[in-house]
Amino acid sequence: MTESAAQSRARTTPRILVIGGGYVGMYTALRLQRKLKRGEAEVIVVDPQPYMTYQPFLPEAAAGSISPRHVVVPLRRVLSKCQLVVGEATHIDHSKRVATVATLATEEEGTSGIEIPYDHLVLAPGSVSRTLPIPGLAEFAIGFKTVEEAIGLRNHVLEQLDIASSTRDVDVRDAALTFVFVGGGYAGVEALAELEDMARYATRYYHNLRPEDMKWVLVEATEKILPEVGEEMGKYAIRELRARNIDLRLGTRLDSCENRVAVLSDGTRLPTRTVVWTAGVKPHPILAATDLPLNERGRLKGTATLMIDGVEGAWAAGDAAAVPDLTAEEPGKECAPNAQHAVRQTKVLAENILASLRGQPMKEYRHKYVGSVASLGLHKGVAHVYGRKLKGYPAWFMHRTYHLSRVPTFNRKARVLAEWTLSGLFKREIVSLGSLEHPRAEFELAAGGPPKPDAP
């Protein structure tokens, strides 16, 4: 992949380098491969994983309603006309139009990475979990941003039920049955609601566990949850969750989770083996490893055409970019970094890259936010869409219908719909496959070596 200066000059076909294979990266590359003429440009996509994760389905994957493999979209299959490089961009020098990428091969070779020259750059690395310097957080907490974390959390929750069912130690039992989620946004609320639903169903198969034995706690620093669905629907969600005996601690922070004890800012101490951190995201670190302009929050300074402000040949959208919202009434407002904007921005982004290649005028991105939907477990949800407010089953049905329409490829749509149909006809699966996280543990033990310790 590394080119010499002579090879770079000899290359006549423009190269479009897409950093990131998430919403923005995959959809932009997909549109480009459909619209580019033969020999007009080549597209290279760089991402640490060979798949795109449809994150709105992570809570259902954690609850067992959708198989993990149906939450991800294989990039090699979808982007058949693009070149995929599985690796992590570590540095971008746009003044030289070169990106440095670390791959699995460069790690084995002991080199710093390969250099990929480009003519146009699309920066769409997404975001990473925003953590705080809380004692014990790095050692004991679980994230909820990847499919691996979602399935790991499902296995972990079911293992806690097994621990509680088989111990005679009251303290161990109480800690195993206490589940603390930090963050009252989409990820935290939907993950907690789906897993609580699953765990409550699973207790019927344990002779000495009851749903009321479990303690589910949601910790949120502000005074509301799900702000995207509006104040009224947010309050309904609070009532719905509390009616299920879920302990909502609003206006409260997590101060510590050392030694399997969650200490809250209101003084509460909760012995627990499960702390799930979903308290927001921050820009990807690669943005700081570029020579491109950033705003005060570390996001790229974008324009309405999705070109990076003041920089030729560099584009950005989604979580990585601060894009002005042309439909907002107040001046200076930016588009929210959510999937609704990200997916729609990719259409304008791809068309503007094509226009730039062809010397044509570019379009500006404008989209008025239509609302949000959120699941609160099986057959339960809230929605605020086009000014209409829905709750309960209608909102849940809208949540499923909307995301089924948005998940990429007909193949994935059909598989997800089939799974939902079958799950409505049969009972839930409540099997824990905890060995997936450590597949060599049994063999190591058989071979005489000590098994690797399980993650907390």
Side-chain angles (χ1 to χ4, degrees), residues 237-251:
I238 291 174
R239 293 195 301 271
E240 165 68 23
L241 294 175
R242 284 178 170 163
R244 289 158 59 178
N245 204 31
I246 295 173
D247 185 359
L248 269 63
R249 302 295 181 98
L250 304 181

Side-chain angles (χ1 to χ4, degrees), residues 170-219:
V170 175
D171 293 335
V172 171
R173 176 186 170 95
D174 289 345
L177 293 178
T178 300
F179 306 94
V180 179
F181 286 67
V182 184
Y186 276 124
V189 172
E190 291 191 337
L192 181 149
E194 291 282 358
L195 285 164
E196 188 273 340
D197 233 2
M198 178 202 71
R200 182 158 32 85
Y201 175 87
T203 56
R204 68 180 63 185
Y205 297 103
Y206 292 84
H207 70 283
N208 57 349
L209 293 183
R210 297 173 300 170
E212 51 268 30
D213 294 335
M214 297 184 293
K215 181 183 293 184
W216 295 81
V217 183
L218 179 64
V219 180

